[in-house]
Amino acid sequence: MADTTDTTAVLGGHRVHRPTLIGGLRWDTVVGALLVILLAISFSTVGGFGNALNISFLIGNTLPVAAIALPMTMLVAAGEIDLSVGSTVGLSGAVMGALWNHGMNINAIIVVCAVLGVVCGLVNALLVTKLGLPSLAVTIGTMALYRGVAQIVLGSNSVTDFPQNYLDFGSGRLAGSFLPTAVLPWLVLAVAAAVVLHATGFGRSVFAVGASAEAAWFAGVRVRRVKLSLFVATGLVSSLTGVFWVLHYASATYSNATGLELSVVAAVLLGGVDFDGGRGTLGGAIAGVFLLGTLQNVMSLADVSAQSQTIVTGVLLTVSVLGPRVARQMSPSIR
Amino acid sequence: MSTGTRIAALAAGSLLALSLSACGGATKSSTDKAASTAPAAGQSGATDPNAATKKGLTVGFLPKQVNNAYFTISDAGGDTALSALGESYKEVGTTSATDTAGQVSYVNTLMQQHVSAIAVSAQDPGALCTALKQAMSAGIKVVTYDSDTDPGCRQVFVSQASSEDLGRSEVDLLGKELNYTGQIAILSAAQTATNQNAWIGYMQDELKKPQFANMKLVKIAYGNDDAQMSFQQTQGLLQQYPDLKGIISPTTVGIKAAAQYLDGSQYKGKVLLTGLGTPNDMRSYVQDGTVKAFELWDPGKLGQLAAYTAVALASGQISGAQGQSFTAGSLGSFTVGAQGVVTLGAPTVFDSTNISQFNF
């Protein structure tokens, strides 16, 4: 965690930059600093921001993006992308609603949704790894496919009558504090993801695959297996997020989380994860997620119109694509 | 590799365990439906129909979508009514009509800004409930207008016209035009739109009557209140059902897009279109014969009534219980019906004889 040195390994003639959680002047550090500054300003100047209810609301509303951003960071670091995550969230919710209407036990439903997520991820993974198709094209297709299946599964129904104690888990707070109950499983997942990406051989192979799949393969990394496990993890987390979404908003509809994939990808890119693969940190991605979430919350409280909010977000994202490159050029440790 | 996979599996496992251990299992049948179907009771308890109208109130309007012509008109009506009363008006909302998470966020925003009342047109009947209930327990009055939430999540629903009137009258309009024969289709908004689905339910019921024996509903298409998608759905309907004789589109966005498509196609005048539209949108199509008649309430008056209702609630003149009456400025006096519903009145039918008298 407190490793502050940049290690550069030469692998198959390619320089592989292995980022650490904390570095010199790096974009993820910049994003983290921006988040801290934004929070400080908001707490002191924006009315209605700093109370426990609003903070819990902000976190709860950002959790779906924060959860899916974890596997998405690894996927993008490995040079791939998954745009079907929003539809997987919707499909999982639709299946949850339909099975609940059929009288199935809620815990069994959650297990079914988890398996469904694995299947969704596996479909993406096999199309990418077995057929060698670009993941951008594949997941644009499955994005429409999964959303279509969700429409068939639930039609125009909206299911809301889930058990109260589960709904309380979805929208409740820890003993009246500013933390939503659902933050606990997310923290477990975030720590696990950070360890996997930044402190294991698997994590190193993720970056190696993203830097150069060919070089990684010659160095003995099982490229296909790495990609497959990342797609499956993304599908699984998305479907569990679908369950959370239904409980948080007490509403299962086929259209749940429409457009969520763009929020996730935007936050991950804003956090300094390189779209070309091979570079990025989980800390940066998480900072990116909460920077966007906080910004939206603050802009609404400050009466910035929805149209202007879209412009601000757009400008920020455009800068974020440029930012990491500028930061890298200014940082002496990387040539 | 194996370490990574193991840690990931462990994380997923513990996540599942955490979510499962939250509480014992339950099924739909074992869950007692604690969801109240009665309107939420006002916190104040006692109401006084003769109470003075409070000053310095702020009503926050939260439409399904900002930048939508229909809601621009209705919310401007809300602004007019609040100005007349000397109260403050504000409007917030999402740029997409299917961004429920965004709409929930705005309920939170209005709550943090301590508005006196919220007037919301719900994108989804259930999703707003948690946030609206929090707002009500903080003393904020909640009125839904145009599109309702579950009745327990607001004090009053201001309805444009009774769902039954609207649904049945649209079928009757088209039936008269088609001599009660031929295939018809419906072009709706989103599949989850509460009000559209309620109207369609009554349309289907009306079609069961004997005089409609030769009129067959072949398809319900959904254009998501998006002009381009509604246009494409109309195109698709006519390709799929070449013998189609009529289309009902109970949404202002849908009917305009459908009229636009028919106007530029060989089906102009052969396929009849009716539904809910605004006179300004539909004027040229009525003049050139693409559309014979359509109907709507006055959205501006709907917004006004929502504002007056919100002020009456915030002033303690009503609480949302059945039988209570209040005065809504120039609109006259209204009485709260069953389940806390206040109805604006019967819809207006627009055709070539009267359309020039309206400007909205």
Side-chain angles (χ1 to χ4, degrees):
Chain A
M1 281 285 183
D3 182 4
T4 54
T5 55
D6 282 355
T7 50
T8 306
V10 177
L11 186 76
H14 287 261
R15 284 188 168 277
V16 179
H17 170 67
R18 190 190 140 212
T20 50
L21 279 177
I22 305 157
L25 175 65
R26 287 220 315 268
W27 179 252
D28 51 1
T29 323
V30 175
V31 175
L34 280 176
L35 175 62
V36 171
I37 292 166
L38 178 65
L39 285 171
I41 293 172
S42 308
F43 267 107
S44 52
T45 63
V46 180
F49 178 82
N51 62 62
L53 189 62
N54 186 59
I55 298 296
S56 75
F57 191 90
L58 192 168
I59 297 173
N61 225 32
T62 312
L63 270 183
V65 180
I68 300 173
L70 303 171
M72 185 72 83
T73 299
M74 298 196 206
L75 204 50
V76 174
E80 299 290 351
I81 196 160
D82 185 349
L83 293 181
S84 69
V85 290
S87 296
T88 307
V89 171
L91 176 56
S92 166
V95 166
M96 186 175 173
L99 292 178
W100 177 250
N101 275 349
H102 279 256
M104 197 169 177
N105 177 295
I106 184 96
N107 291 341
I109 294 176
I110 293 173
V111 173
V112 170
C113 286
V115 172
L116 177 81
V118 170
V119 172
C120 286
L122 208 53
V123 170
N124 288 335
L126 293 177
L127 287 170
V128 171
T129 57
K130 292 284 179 210
L131 301 179
L133 301 168
S135 55
L136 187 71
V138 166
T139 58
I140 284 177
T142 52
M143 170 169 102
L145 174 71
Y146 298 161
R147 185 69 68 185
V149 176
Q151 290 196 44
I152 291 169
V153 167
L154 200 58
S156 60
N157 295 332
S158 158
V159 184
T160 58
D161 57 347
F162 294 96
Q164 194 54 48
N165 45 4
Y166 281 75
L167 294 175
D168 289 344
F169 168 80
S171 62
R173 288 186 278 160
L174 289 167
S177 73
F178 65 92
L179 283 173
T181 321
V183 109
L184 289 178
W186 180 79
L187 278 174
V188 172
L189 200 63
V191 170
V195 170
V196 169
L197 186 61
H198 295 295
T200 64
F202 179 82
R204 278 190 294 281
S205 57
V206 167
F207 287 115
V209 168
S212 165
E214 206 178 333
W217 188 79
F218 278 116
V221 176
R222 293 163 116 164
V223 174
R224 281 182 180 179
R225 188 179 294 186
V226 169
K227 287 184 178 178
L228 187 124
S229 46
L230 293 180
F231 275 110
V232 169
T234 308
L236 173 64
V237 173
S238 300
S239 66
L240 291 176
T241 302
V243 171
F244 167 70
W245 186 287
V246 166
L247 296 178
H248 184 67
Y249 295 113
S251 177
T253 63
Y254 82 87
S255 61
N256 277 2
T258 303
L260 189 77
E261 59 282 334
L262 290 183
S263 306
V264 174
V265 173
V268 166
L269 295 183
L270 177 64
V273 182
D274 198 325
F275 202 71
D276 298 332
R279 273 201 195 85
T281 61
L282 212 58
I286 293 171
V289 169
F290 283 100
L291 182 62
L292 282 177
T294 308
L295 200 63
Q296 269 167 357
N297 181 284
V298 168
M299 286 194 292
S300 298
L301 286 175
D303 280 339
V304 178
S305 74
Q307 297 88 329
S308 312
Q309 287 190 29
T310 315
I311 294 172
V312 172
T313 313
V315 168
L316 190 69
L317 290 174
T318 314
V319 169
S320 77
V321 179
L322 201 71
R325 288 169 201 260
V326 175
R328 272 203 295 277
Q329 278 166 0
M330 288 164 66
S331 185
S333 64
I334 305 149
R335 285 163 301 277
Chain B
M1 167 109 29
S2 53
T3 347
T5 324
R6 232 176 291 150
I7 294 174
L10 193 73
S14 48
L15 198 67
L16 262 177
L18 257 169
S19 54
L20 293 185
S21 65
C23 25
T27 60
K28 191 182 177 93
S29 52
S30 73
T31 311
D32 73 316
K33 301 246 170 56
S36 75
T37 47
Q43 277 69 36
S44 51
T47 59
D48 173 10
N50 302 317
T53 299
K54 283 188 185 160
K55 290 294 162 212
L57 300 173
T58 303
V59 179
F61 271 72
L62 175 50
K64 264 189 199 174
Q65 184 181 23
V66 291
N67 269 3
N68 167 320
Y70 170 83
F71 285 109
T72 304
I73 299 164
S74 71
D75 293 6
D79 193 4
T80 307
L82 290 166
S83 306
L85 292 169
E87 320 283 10
S88 307
Y89 157 90
K90 72 179 298 185
E91 185 199 38
V92 295
T94 55
T95 48
S96 146
T98 53
D99 177 11
T100 39
Q103 200 174 32
V104 173
S105 286
Y106 277 114
V107 173
N108 172 63
T109 301
L110 290 169
M111 198 171 130
Q112 298 299 346
Q113 293 174 333
H114 306 297
V115 293
S116 326
I118 295 173
V120 54
S121 175
Q123 288 179 5
D124 177 300
L128 295 165
C129 276
T130 310
L132 288 176
K133 282 177 177 166
Q134 274 176 336
M136 286 195 289
S137 62
I140 295 171
K141 304 299 174 189
V142 176
V143 172
T144 50
Y145 69 107
D146 176 78
S147 196
D148 199 8
T149 56
D150 296 338
C153 316
R154 43 75 177 163
Q155 272 115 353
V156 175
F157 169 47
V158 176
S159 171
Q160 45 278 66
S162 90
S163 295
E164 187 164 0
D165 275 1
L166 279 170
R168 294 189 192 281
S169 61
E170 283 167 71
V171 170
D172 294 350
L173 262 181
L174 191 60
K176 279 192 205 105
E177 293 174 9
L178 293 176
N179 288 325
Y180 302 96
T181 48
Q183 294 183 340
I184 63 163
I186 294 173
L187 173 65
S188 185
Q191 257 189 315
T192 47
T194 327
N195 47 0
Q196 263 85 8
N197 288 341
W199 301 331
I200 291 170
Y202 283 110
M203 288 181 203
Q204 289 169 315
D205 193 59
E206 182 73 5
L207 286 166
K208 287 180 188 147
K209 289 185 178 172
Q211 68 260 41
F212 294 103
N214 297 327
M215 238 168 94
K216 190 164 174 288
L217 175 63
V218 289
K219 184 163 179 173
I220 303 173
Y222 297 93
N224 282 356
D225 262 356
D226 173 280
Q228 192 188 9
M229 194 170 166
S230 303
F231 189 91
Q232 286 166 347
Q233 289 289 334
T234 312
Q235 196 174 15
L237 278 175
L238 292 161
Q239 277 166 355
Q240 205 179 344
Y241 301 100
D243 296 335
L244 200 68
K245 290 286 176 281
I247 298 173
I248 300 176
S249 185
T251 144
T252 53
V253 179
I255 195 173
K256 188 183 178 188
Q260 214 172 356
Y261 176 76
L262 291 175
D263 201 31
S265 73
Q266 76 264 33
Y267 304 103
K268 182 176 175 172
K270 297 194 184 87
V271 176
L272 294 172
L273 172 69
T274 189
L276 305 178
T278 68
N280 288 357
D281 276 348
M282 304 304 291
R283 204 176 307 279
S284 61
Y285 302 115
V286 168
Q287 280 159 356
D288 75 6
T290 307
V291 175
K292 282 188 180 167
F294 62 97
E295 60 183 16
L296 194 68
W297 53 94
D298 183 336
K301 285 187 178 157
L302 181 71
Q304 282 181 42
L305 183 55
Y308 283 117
T309 309
V311 170
L313 276 167
S315 302
Q317 294 155 353
I318 57 169
S319 65
Q322 188 171 356
Q324 297 171 328
S325 291
F326 64 102
T327 310
S330 58
L331 299 176
S333 173
F334 288 83
T335 304
V336 182
Q339 294 219 313
V341 177
V342 171
T343 304
L344 181 62
T348 311
V349 175
F350 305 97
D351 56 24
S352 57
T353 62
N354 70 353
I355 196 165
S356 56
Q357 299 158 28
F358 296 93
N359 180 25
F360 66 83

